[in-house]
Amino acid sequence: MSIRIVPKEQLGKEPSEKSISFIPPVLFPNLKNLYQRRAERFQALAKDNPFADYLEFAAEIALAQEKALHDNPLELDLTPLLSQQTGIAPLDKKTFKRSKHWHALLASIIAELQSVVPESAKIALENLSKASETELEEMATALLNDEYSKVSADKSVFIWAALSLYWAQLAANIPGKAKTEYGENRQFCPVCNSMPVSSMVQIGTTQGLRYLHCNLCETEWHVVRIKCTNCELTGKLNYWSLDSENAPVKAESCGDCGSYLKILYQEKDANVDAVADDLASLILDAKMEEEGFARSSINPLLFPNE
């Protein structure tokens, strides 16, 4: 199964699978207090965590994103975009023609962080503030094309923070709805075609349903439980945790494709955050690597070296 975004007026014109019609295929980002809550979660997880310093640093980035969001609103009519690109991710990270709005977001994030980050990070922020528009666009293009080695790690986290906020603002403006249909690439975000950061079994109106959380536009999309989110096979799944079976954060591994993805449980801890709890459980990542599994996701605050 795959998910695609269509204009509202097209809903109901094409058949859909009745068995899953009541499940929202996509949850567009709700940006109200998203970054504030994430910052608070980072701060809470930093207590007694071996990576406390970095989690506190991540909290400052989330707070800077919250301020940039407030100071740089974005309202667009994306209806024409859906009409022209029905059937593909409307905000595909590799093909969508981004505006310079993300530059303003980056400038705001840099201004907020200058006085609160470690000295080593201040150097990267200063270099970014002096970079030309062409240089910024080249680094953004490299990251969005998954060419992570072309951008130094000390800069990529700030560039992605601005790009992610920009894409989240765009996704929040999408006037369409989602429908489920047969297809491939369910492991990628149906809005921007980026990778997930983790998955979450939710509570509330989507009680018990598992959604993948996009590492770029903050959209969530439904993937049934007990199925590998990478290859969609079901035969060799196992669940790992560092504590107990009731741990709010586990790793779901697949023996068929050799990958794993974190799965978070809101029923175990209502405050879990897709980005923060993933980053705070790096010891679990190390354990999965020891077991021979490869991560099928990327945390926006921890890019691979290559």
Side-chain angles (χ1 to χ4, degrees):
M1 300 299 296
S2 67
I3 296 173
R4 67 185 177 99
I5 312 300
V6 299
K8 291 180 180 179
E9 59 270 17
Q10 288 189 17
L11 288 178
K13 293 183 179 181
E14 300 177 22
S16 60
E17 291 202 3
K18 296 180 180 179
S19 61
I20 58 174
S21 61
F22 66 97
I23 298 176
V26 167
L27 303 176
F28 293 109
N30 180 358
L31 300 183
K32 184 179 180 180
N33 299 323
L34 168 64
Y35 300 105
Q36 178 67 41
R37 293 195 305 270
R38 181 168 294 163
E40 292 172 356
R41 183 61 174 173
F42 271 126
Q43 292 166 346
L45 292 170
K47 299 176 182 178
D48 301 320
N49 191 294
F51 306 104
D53 289 345
Y54 196 74
L55 295 179
E56 291 286 358
F57 169 67
E60 295 294 349
I61 292 178
L63 289 174
Q65 287 176 299
E66 175 73 17
K67 183 65 164 56
L69 172 65
H70 179 270
D71 293 346
N72 300 273
L74 178 65
E75 294 185 7
L76 289 175
D77 180 9
L78 296 177
T79 303
L81 182 67
L82 290 185
S83 300
Q84 297 167 8
Q85 301 187 20
T86 299
I88 64 174
L91 302 177
D92 190 299
K93 66 175 185 175
K94 295 182 180 180
T95 60
F96 179 76
K97 294 182 179 180
R98 57 186 180 270
S99 73
K100 298 295 177 61
H101 179 75
W102 80 271
H103 290 206
L105 296 173
L106 177 61
S108 178
I109 290 172
I110 290 174
E112 285 298 307
L113 292 175
Q114 281 284 8
S115 62
V116 296
V117 297
E119 200 63 35
S120 57
K122 289 181 180 179
I123 297 175
L125 290 175
E126 183 177 352
N127 289 335
L128 282 175
S129 66
K130 295 178 180 178
S132 67
E133 289 188 352
T134 299
E135 290 172 325
L136 290 178
E137 288 298 330
E138 288 176 348
M139 288 186 281
T141 297
L143 291 177
L144 293 170
N145 285 326
D146 306 324
E147 298 173 334
Y148 307 117
S149 62
K150 291 186 177 181
V151 185
S152 61
D154 59 345
K155 295 178 181 177
S156 61
V157 64
F158 302 120
I159 294 173
W160 194 269
L163 290 171
S164 178
L165 178 51
Y166 172 55
W167 250 267
Q169 286 181 304
L170 290 170
N173 275 284
I174 288 180
K177 297 292 184 179
K179 66 179 299 181
T180 306
E181 60 184 16
Y182 286 104
E184 299 177 348
N185 298 326
R186 190 66 171 265
Q187 70 270 37
F188 297 110
C189 175
V191 172
C192 71
N193 207 30
S194 193
M195 300 175 68
V197 57
S198 63
S199 67
M200 185 180 298
V201 178
Q202 302 190 350
I203 57 176
T205 57
T206 50
Q207 174 76 36
L209 299 177
R210 191 255 295 272
Y211 284 81
L212 273 61
H213 191 104
C214 181
N215 74 345
L216 179 61
C217 74
E218 305 281 0
T219 294
E220 297 174 309
W221 67 102
H222 177 250
V223 175
V224 297
R225 298 167 67 174
I226 318 179
K227 172 186 284 191
C228 175
T229 59
N230 187 56
C231 71
E232 298 200 19
L233 296 180
T234 61
K236 299 180 180 179
L237 295 181
N238 285 293
Y239 296 85
W240 311 70
S241 70
L242 296 174
D243 303 313
S244 66
E245 291 186 3
N246 292 321
V249 179
K250 294 182 180 180
E252 180 184 73
S253 68
C254 176
D256 286 300
C257 68
S259 73
Y260 77 92
L261 182 73
K262 300 274 185 66
I263 180 167
L264 285 52
Y265 298 86
Q266 283 188 328
E267 63 181 358
K268 306 297 183 184
D269 187 338
N271 295 316
V272 289
D273 176 85
V275 175
D277 282 78
D278 175 67
L279 189 65
S281 54
L282 289 177
I283 294 178
L284 181 55
D285 289 280
K287 173 65 175 178
M288 299 308 295
E289 185 175 338
E290 289 178 0
E291 296 291 338
F293 294 101
R295 184 180 168 105
S296 64
S297 63
I298 293 179
N299 191 293
L301 292 162
L302 193 66
F303 284 94
N305 294 326
E306 56 183 42

